Amino acid sequence: ESVIFLTTSDRKAGVAVQTEFGTLTVAHLANSPGAWEVLQRDNHTDLAVIKLLNDPNLKPLKVACGDAQLGEKVLEVINAPPIFQALAWGRVANPSIRAPYAPSAEFIIAQIPGYPGTSGAPLMRKNEIIGIAGFVPSKPIIVALHIYRAEFEMEQPGFTGYISAKTIREFVNK
């Protein structure tokens, strides 16, 4: 009722979620042509607010006010091969990590395998969003979460980076 599965005209797949702030997704997906209009975008945090052109009647989810907790059980909506439109459970491995390209932004690392096509997927606890799956692919030498994620995955495979609820709230209140 709240999650939208997106496909761009150049066949990239991802996810958007309806929140009290509008429809949120990641900038690297919103930057591609699709059935939406970009209302707000920040390529440093990789967040975007979009307006869907078909305007589905979706139920908004609440973006959490509190921080993620280490070891907290979380849920992600997956929309990627070989798993389409499924749910994945995991735990928060690092509730707060900073990236050098966006020092004011906060990211979460969760023990949920990342798949192409899950960008923009909500990271949930109970009935609220604590993060949005994302990364910034345009940085030289694959900076940002890719570096953190790659270093983390060398020792602990199956971890994904999420833009935190705190950063989401700061972004939409700009």
Side-chain angles (χ1 to χ4, degrees), residues 73-140:
K73 192 172 184 179
V74 290
L75 167 79
E76 180 189 49
V77 177
I78 295 176
N79 184 42
I83 305 165
F84 288 96
Q85 301 179 8
L87 303 175
W89 290 96
R91 296 205 179 265
V92 172
N94 187 332
S96 178
I97 192 167
R98 305 261 176 202
Y101 68 89
S104 63
E106 182 179 87
F107 300 89
I108 298 166
I109 303 295
Q111 189 178 7
I112 298 175
Y115 298 98
T118 57
S119 294
L123 182 65
M124 308 283 300
R125 73 164 162 230
K126 298 185 182 172
N127 290 325
E128 62 182 7
I129 298 168
I130 62 168
I132 300 279
F135 67 93
V136 178
S138 61
K139 298 295 176 187

Side-chain angles (χ1 to χ4, degrees), residues 26 28 46 107 118-121 132-136 145 149 160-163:
V26 286
H28 73 267
D46 196 25
F107 300 89
T118 57
S119 294
I132 300 279
F135 67 93
V136 178
L145 284 179
R149 203 156 134 186
T160 300
Y162 300 85
I163 305 152

